[in-house]
Structure formats: C-alpha cells, structure tokens
Amino acid sequence: MTRLIILTSGKGGVGKTTLASNLAAALTDFGMKVIAVDANLSTPNLALHLGLHLAPYTLHDVLSGKTKLEKAIYPHPYGFKVIPASLGLNDLKGVDVAKLPEISLRLLGKADFIILDCAAGLGREAISALSASDEAIIVTNPELPAVTDALRILKIAEETKVKVIGVVVNRIKGEKHELTKEEIEDLLGVPVIAEIPEDENVSLSIAARKTLLEFSPDSPASREIKKLAARLCGVKYKDCLLYTSPSPRDRG
Ligand code: ADP
Ligand code: MG
C-alpha cells in the first residue's frame, strides 16, 4: 500500500524541503520505495536541494498537460525518485494546481511512500497539495509564531479530512525562549513525532546539493530524521544502527 504523506506548515522556512529530501533518503535506507514530489509550484526548491534543478521535465509540465507524468520522474543517486518542479516563472502559466490530487492518485502503487513537499501557508496551492494527500506531517520551529501558524494548517488539514500523523519540531537550539515538546503538544493537540536539532550540516549539505544523509549521515539532525523514518516504517530505532556507522563505544 502506498502512503501519501504531505509535509506542510503554516509558516515558511521551517524546514519542510530539508525534511522532504532527507526523509525520502532515510525511508530508502529502510528498504522503502519512495517518490519525493515538489508540490511547491510557486516557490519550488526540492530539486535544488537534490541537484535536479536542470531536469528537462517537471511537475509544471505535467500539470499543464505538456508532458506525461512518467517523464517527470527522475532517479536520485540515493535510490529514491523525485518529481521536480520548475524554477522558471514562465512555467507557472497554464498550470492547474487543482489537478494535483489527480497526479497523486496516479502515483499510487508506484512506491511505498510518496512524500509531498509543499508551499507554506493557507493559499490555494497549499490547500490543493493537502487535498492530494492522505496523511500530513506538520513541520514547525519551536517558536510561538510558527506554532500558532501550525495550528491554522492543522485545522485546514482536519477540514480536508487528511490524517495528521503528528508534528515535527525542527531547528531546536535548546534556548530558554523555545517552546518545549509538551507545550507544543498542548497547543496543537497532536503528538510531536520528531525533534530535530539546529545543525550546521544542513545548510552545508544544501550548498553541496546533497542530502544531509549523504553529506553527514551521523550528524545530530540526520539521526533524528532516521528515527522519524523508523517510526513511519514501524520499526524500532535500534534497527537504524544498521544504517549508521557505529559510535566509538559500540565499536568497543
Ligand atoms: P521550508 O521548505 O519549510 O521553507 P527549508 O527546508 O527550505 O524550509 O529550510 C529553510 C532554511 O532552514 C534552509 O536554509 C535550511 O538550511 C535551514 N534549516 C532547515 N532545517 C535545519 C536544521 N535542522 N538546522 C539548521 N538549519 C536548518
Ligand atoms: Mg520549501
């Protein structure tokens, strides 16, 4: 069975695209077939994160009827597949975002997980992407404005009958003013399923156009993303150690 999961947020810049590319990689490590879709049509950057920004066919072409879906699915060296969006502003012409649900339906059966990265906020594009999904992960930072915006998208997800799996809190610095896991759970009423720390390797990996899991597989953020992937696959995190190099203590 294919799981169609959208990574969404109220506020922009919280880490959806970073999580989409690396969750795709982490799920691949667990033997899952994954397709990561850049459903952020107005401000796309998943392809940029993954070094696929020069792909000749994109989701824009599919949505405007210029290309067949199959032509816009590219293999990433890590082992998962990617449907990039176009960086060209002109390509937005003739694109019908309302067709996104039809595209995701056509992807069913082609992978174990379809991960959709989408635009932040409550605009038409973000809502179309939500309607194209069965399940949602809400991404936020541990700050009050981001969590307040997350609450708004959570309500929309519920109205759209999308099952909210939980909240991922990203860029945790451990500073005093940050909301705690418990406070975020109280405010949103859904469980926090991952807590990803601030990690300088994230921006370094994006600059290198590599996933964080390739660039720095044992970095603090990588480990938390692998834990989340384990949770989504229903396996214990201990199993993840198969995919990370052993710590000096484990080596004895
Ligand atoms: P969104 O897709 O929600 O707009 P991005 O994934 O593009 O967010 O991330 C926004 C910025 O935050 C990027 O420049 C990225 O380098 C940085 N970032 C994301 N997650 C982390 C993290 N865990 N640690 C440090 N920087 C991060
Ligand atoms: Mg993004």
Side-chain angles (χ1 to χ4, degrees), residues 98-189:
K99 281 196 182 147
L100 268 175
E102 187 190 312
I103 304 289
S104 59
L105 273 182
R106 282 165 55 199
L107 289 172
L108 292 179
K110 290 192 193 297
D112 300 303
F113 284 89
I114 313 277
I115 303 292
L116 287 107
D117 181 26
C118 76
L122 310 175
R124 190 164 162 251
E125 198 184 317
I127 310 267
S128 291
L130 257 180
S131 337
S133 319
D134 296 328
E135 300 175 86
I137 291 175
I138 316 269
V139 186
T140 185
N141 295 149
E143 276 103 35
L144 194 56
V147 177
T148 311
D149 290 353
L151 187 58
R152 293 157 70 83
I153 202 80
L154 188 70
K155 296 271 175 264
I156 303 277
E158 282 166 2
E159 277 170 24
T160 328
K161 307 267 184 280
V162 175
K163 181 183 171 220
V164 176
I165 305 173
V167 177
V168 169
V169 187
N170 185 37
R171 303 197 74 164
I172 299 173
K173 297 185 187 131
E175 288 172 2
K176 255 189 170 171
H177 69 273
E178 290 177 0
L179 295 174
T180 63
K181 177 184 176 195
E182 290 71 27
E183 285 168 335
I184 295 172
E185 288 181 336
D186 278 353
L187 281 165
L188 299 181

Side-chain angles (χ1 to χ4, degrees), residues 76-109:
H76 184 272
Y78 204 93
F80 57 91
K81 293 192 173 138
V82 186
I83 302 185
S86 168
L87 295 177
L89 263 182
N90 281 342
D91 289 336
L92 269 173
K93 283 182 202 149
V95 163
D96 184 0
V97 287
K99 281 196 182 147
L100 268 175
E102 187 190 312
I103 304 289
S104 59
L105 273 182
R106 282 165 55 199
L107 289 172
L108 292 179

Side-chain angles (χ1 to χ4, degrees), residues 17 40 45 117:
T17 305
N40 183 344
N45 44 35
D117 181 26

